[in-house]
Amino acid sequence: MKFNRFGQYPIAFMLVLLCTIGLHHITFVRAQEPPQVQIIQPEPNPVVPESIFMSQLPSWARLVDIRTVNRNIRLDIRYATTNNFLKRKLYPISKCALRSSVAQKLALVQTDLEKIGLGLKVYDCYRPFSVTEQMWEVMPDPRYVANPARGSRHNRGAAIDLTLVDRTGKELEMPTPYDDFTEKAHADYQGGSAQSRKNRQVLKDAMKKHGFIGITTEWWHFDSEDWQKFAILDISLGAIP
């Protein structure tokens, strides 16, 4: 095989050629990546449509009037009056509605308390989501009013505000009145009278026995321990049987 005069040195020939065309002037540019676009998903509406509530929930998860479960539980539904921290009526009627399974547990608390001459008086139960929005406008403090972005356990029909009464219906002494937004209403407050703290503990123990959990800032508020399984609703109290 014959080679031309450069054929004997092919590698050297290529180096000379590249240098001749100016390899040292070549600039390599990284391909520009397309800009990252952040897609912001809209906040999902936390409220279950009324049509789903009415047609698809099993019986244990439906909202029921507590008076259809236990008529001995006394009512003082404050948000159906002007006697509340907003000083205006928020509910069209005075009704304590709860998920049926939660109402059944509350009835057991009432039965137990009756054995020692006591009973329950309820201030608030299920709270429509739209009412929580109104409350947040006045008091945007998550220690006392649920942020509508997450909804309230009251909106789920799985929370109750309540106190103790004697056989005649008279309220027992507690560290503060209902909706007192001070540290005196906290569950671990050690001030006030010894009797008020004792009564607070009796209420806590009675509720805990049947699956209710208190919160740190309000001695009167209790959540059903399974509240997570219930969705947020905005059903009018007047629409609940």
Side-chain angles (χ1 to χ4, degrees):
M1 181 180 294
K2 293 184 178 181
F3 297 89
N4 58 29
R5 61 177 181 168
F6 294 105
Q8 296 178 355
Y9 309 99
I11 297 176
F13 172 74
M14 292 299 297
L15 290 174
V16 172
L17 180 61
L18 289 172
C19 290
T20 302
I21 64 176
L23 178 63
H24 58 289
H25 291 301
I26 296 176
T27 302
F28 294 94
V29 179
R30 181 184 297 275
Q32 187 174 8
E33 297 180 358
Q36 297 294 320
V37 178
Q38 183 178 6
I39 300 175
I40 301 176
Q41 297 292 341
E43 188 75 19
N45 189 335
V47 183
V48 172
E50 185 170 346
S51 59
I52 293 179
F53 165 73
M54 297 299 290
S55 64
Q56 297 183 14
L57 290 182
S59 59
W60 58 266
R62 297 195 180 199
L63 290 174
V64 298
D65 186 341
I66 191 63
R67 302 302 295 276
T68 66
V69 180
N70 189 311
R71 298 191 63 84
N72 293 336
I73 296 176
R74 297 174 183 266
L75 303 185
D76 182 11
I77 306 300
R78 295 291 181 87
Y79 300 118
T81 73
T82 58
N83 184 20
N84 56 66
F85 76 96
L86 283 86
K87 306 301 181 185
R88 66 176 188 263
K89 186 176 179 180
L90 299 171
Y91 297 163
I93 58 176
S94 178
K95 179 181 289 187
C96 170
L98 293 168
R99 303 286 183 160
S100 180
S101 62
V102 178
Q104 295 291 338
K105 293 194 300 182
L106 192 64
L108 294 176
V109 177
Q110 172 70 22
T111 299
D112 279 358
L113 288 171
E114 289 174 356
K115 297 173 183 177
I116 57 173
L118 301 177
L120 297 172
K121 178 187 279 188
V122 173
Y123 297 126
D124 196 25
C125 299
Y126 163 69
R127 180 184 302 162
F129 178 76
S130 55
V131 173
T132 294
E133 291 181 309
Q134 294 178 54
M135 291 179 173
W136 185 255
E137 290 177 0
V138 175
M139 182 174 286
D141 187 337
R143 293 177 300 170
Y144 304 109
V145 176
N147 188 331
R150 292 187 297 273
S152 166
R153 293 165 193 180
H154 281 291
N155 301 151
R156 302 171 188 271
I160 312 103
D161 295 343
L162 75 179
T163 192
L164 293 175
V165 295
D166 62 17
R167 293 185 189 277
T168 68
K170 180 182 178 181
E171 293 185 13
L172 271 59
E173 180 187 4
M174 291 293 180
T176 70
Y178 177 57
D179 268 359
D180 181 299
F181 302 134
T182 69
E183 66 176 11
K184 294 179 181 180
H186 291 191
D188 60 354
Y189 176 65
Q190 295 305 308
S193 70
Q195 187 62 48
S196 71
R197 296 193 301 273
K198 179 181 178 181
N199 293 338
R200 181 183 66 190
Q201 190 64 45
V202 170
L203 176 62
K204 180 180 178 180
D205 292 344
M207 296 294 286
K208 183 178 180 180
K209 177 181 176 181
H210 292 288
F212 292 97
I213 304 169
I215 63 174
T216 59
T217 55
E218 299 174 348
W219 61 260
W220 57 81
H221 180 107
F222 292 87
D223 298 319
S224 179
E225 61 187 359
D226 58 352
W227 64 266
Q228 299 96 331
K229 70 182 183 182
F230 301 113
I232 296 169
L233 300 172
D234 197 17
I235 309 300
S236 170
L237 285 169
I240 301 167

